Amino acid sequence: MTKKGRILTGDRPTGQLHLGHYVGTLANRVRLQDEYEVFLLVADYHSLTTHPNKEDASATRPNSRELVLDYLAVGIDPEKTTIYRQSDVPSVTELCLIFAMLVTVPRVERIPTLKEVMDAQHIEQPSLGLLTYPVLQAADILHLRADLVPVGKDQESHVELTREIARRFNTLYGELFPEPAALIGEVPTLMGTDGQGKMSKSIGNAIMLADDAETVRQKVMSMYTDPKRIRADIPGTVEGNPVFQYHQAFNANKAEVAELEERYRAGKVGDVEVKKKLIVALNNFLDPIRERRAKNAAKPGLVDEILAAGADKVRPISADTVRRAREMMGLI
Ligand code: TRP
């Protein structure tokens, strides 16, 4: 079957993935494996932009393994999708350096994720590496000349910069790069269990794909719901209520969800029943993921083999792009 194009996307290896990743981007990646040629990147250099010390740098190795196990667990098939680690394909950093000449400092300073990361991690002055974060991301996407980038909504501004860089290169030196599009998932922003903002592991409001059934039960039972509803007979609000957002995203029994919403709005169901049904739905959703994860985690060399094969496949594609770029620039 001829493929519609090429996908490149990925994650930093900072630990395990959560339900927000699933609806934001993982589901798209699994769904598109047959239609597109898909590349999945474990962005270990990107992890260093905020955590360069030795301990965190070396943690990217075990974290990469967890990330790949999550990919396989949700249904990424390594026969169809090429999974590789960024630092195993060093030519991407060459392209990043070339791209760095095409972007001004104020342009990267305006990217909203920079301020968000600096605020969240109490960083007063960004390192040059942190400023370059989205430029390296553009190199990740463009060294494989990808057309489509399935990512969470927070990453849209990076794909926009990637398009600008592609345009700028093409204008200055000739057509080499496609202008890739971002593909955002069905639920662009899944709320955290605290209902305060988006689900994020670092805030501690996340349900991880690898959480066991008991952990899921505890997290759901302590979830934020509608604060105005101090008794079950008070009509509740479904919109903006994370318990219902999760029901809509993960409960396969749509009739049950519709019925619960109706009773909630009418003040005819207690939070406990809504939560208990959510626990069942989430565990039904997560059970096959957990099973696949456990099965793969028990195979000792599996992840290393997948990453080695991925890097072998990506290196020549990347090297070819960089050579063509240098040629077009008149460097060779
Ligand atoms: N910045 C992305 C994130 O934090 C990870 C990433 C690095 C990425 N390089 C990429 C995503 C290239 C898509 C394409 O989620």
Side-chain angles (χ1 to χ4, degrees):
M1 169 178 144
T2 54
K3 304 272 176 169
K4 284 191 191 157
R6 194 177 271 178
I7 283 179
L8 179 289
T9 184
D11 301 275
R12 280 164 300 141
T14 50
Q16 294 169 346
L17 299 177
H18 53 61
L19 293 176
H21 292 115
Y22 188 85
V23 287
T25 171
L26 292 172
N28 271 336
R29 300 176 190 179
V30 175
R31 182 170 63 81
L32 297 173
Q33 284 182 111
D34 292 308
E35 286 167 54
Y36 286 79
E37 191 187 0
V38 184
F39 291 87
L40 262 186
L41 155 89
V42 177
D44 55 352
Y45 278 147
H46 273 115
S47 303
L48 306 184
T49 56
T50 49
H51 292 79
N53 63 57
K54 172 78 189 270
E55 199 185 318
D56 290 320
S58 54
T60 61
R61 286 188 74 82
N63 286 343
S64 298
R65 178 182 151 78
E66 295 302 316
L67 183 58
V68 175
L69 287 173
D70 275 341
Y71 286 162
L72 303 179
V74 296
I76 300 284
D77 178 352
E79 298 287 323
K80 297 177 186 162
T81 291
T82 304
I83 308 175
Y84 73 101
R85 195 167 36 200
Q86 196 175 34
S87 67
D88 287 337
V89 185
S91 47
V92 73
T93 62
E94 236 179 304
L95 194 61
C96 176
L97 183 83
I98 293 172
F99 287 171
M101 318 300 170
L102 310 182
V103 182
T104 67
V105 173
R107 174 66 184 90
V108 285
E109 281 175 340
R110 275 200 308 273
I111 293 177
T113 48
L114 176 67
K115 190 174 176 311
E116 280 163 29
V117 169
M118 287 175 60
D119 285 349
Q121 317 222 9
H122 310 291
I123 298 171
E124 276 185 19
Q125 289 296 337
S127 69
L128 209 46
L130 184 57
L131 272 187
T132 313
Y133 186 116
V135 183
L136 178 57
Q137 185 162 348
D140 290 330
I141 296 166
L142 295 178
H143 77 144
L144 295 181
R145 281 163 274 140
D147 329 275
L148 193 62
V149 189
V151 277
K153 187 146 181 58
D154 61 314
Q155 296 293 309
E156 249 176 339
S157 60
H158 295 180
V159 180
E160 184 51 42
L161 180 74
T162 304
R163 298 162 59 81
E164 279 177 37
I165 290 175
R167 264 198 301 274
R168 182 125 176 86
F169 185 99
N170 293 347
T171 308
L172 288 174
Y173 310 112
E175 282 294 319
L176 177 58
F177 296 113
E179 283 181 39
L183 177 71
I184 312 298
E186 250 177 55
V187 185
T189 311
L190 193 73
M191 273 181 270
T193 51
D194 58 0
Q196 300 307 306
K198 66 172 184 178
M199 185 176 279
S200 157
K201 192 184 160 204
S202 57
I203 301 174
N205 64 4
I207 294 177
M208 312 308 292
L209 296 175
D211 278 348
D212 61 29
E214 174 55 20
T215 307
V216 169
R217 192 189 67 78
Q218 284 172 14
K219 287 182 178 176
V220 171
M221 287 318 287
S222 59
M223 265 179 84
Y224 173 98
T225 57
D226 178 351
K228 298 186 304 301
R229 213 162 164 263
I230 40 179
R231 282 194 329 265
D233 60 354
I234 299 174
T237 307
V238 165
E239 289 70 30
N241 186 330
V243 177
F244 280 99
Q245 194 192 23
Y246 295 6
H247 263 300
Q248 288 154 8
F250 299 102
N251 191 340
N253 185 346
K254 297 296 166 215
E256 177 176 275
V257 178
E259 186 255 356
L260 282 175
E261 287 180 357
E262 204 182 302
R263 285 165 60 211
Y264 199 79
R265 289 198 175 100
K268 294 210 164 101
V269 63
D271 277 9
V272 172
E273 182 182 340
V274 180
K275 286 182 170 178
K276 284 198 166 143
K277 291 195 163 133
L278 179 60
I279 293 166
V280 173
L282 285 179
N283 283 326
N284 283 342
F285 170 77
L286 289 171
D287 271 340
I289 296 178
R290 292 176 183 128
E291 261 171 52
R292 237 173 307 178
R293 200 176 203 289
K295 214 173 75 206
N296 287 322
K299 298 179 190 160
L302 178 72
V303 170
D304 286 341
E305 279 162 29
I306 289 173
L307 289 175
D312 283 346
K313 176 150 179 215
V314 170
R315 268 188 221 107
I317 306 173
S318 175
D320 177 60
T321 306
V322 174
R323 190 188 49 74
R324 280 162 67 173
R326 292 173 59 223
E327 232 166 48
M328 293 174 86
M329 295 168 77
L331 293 173
I332 42 178

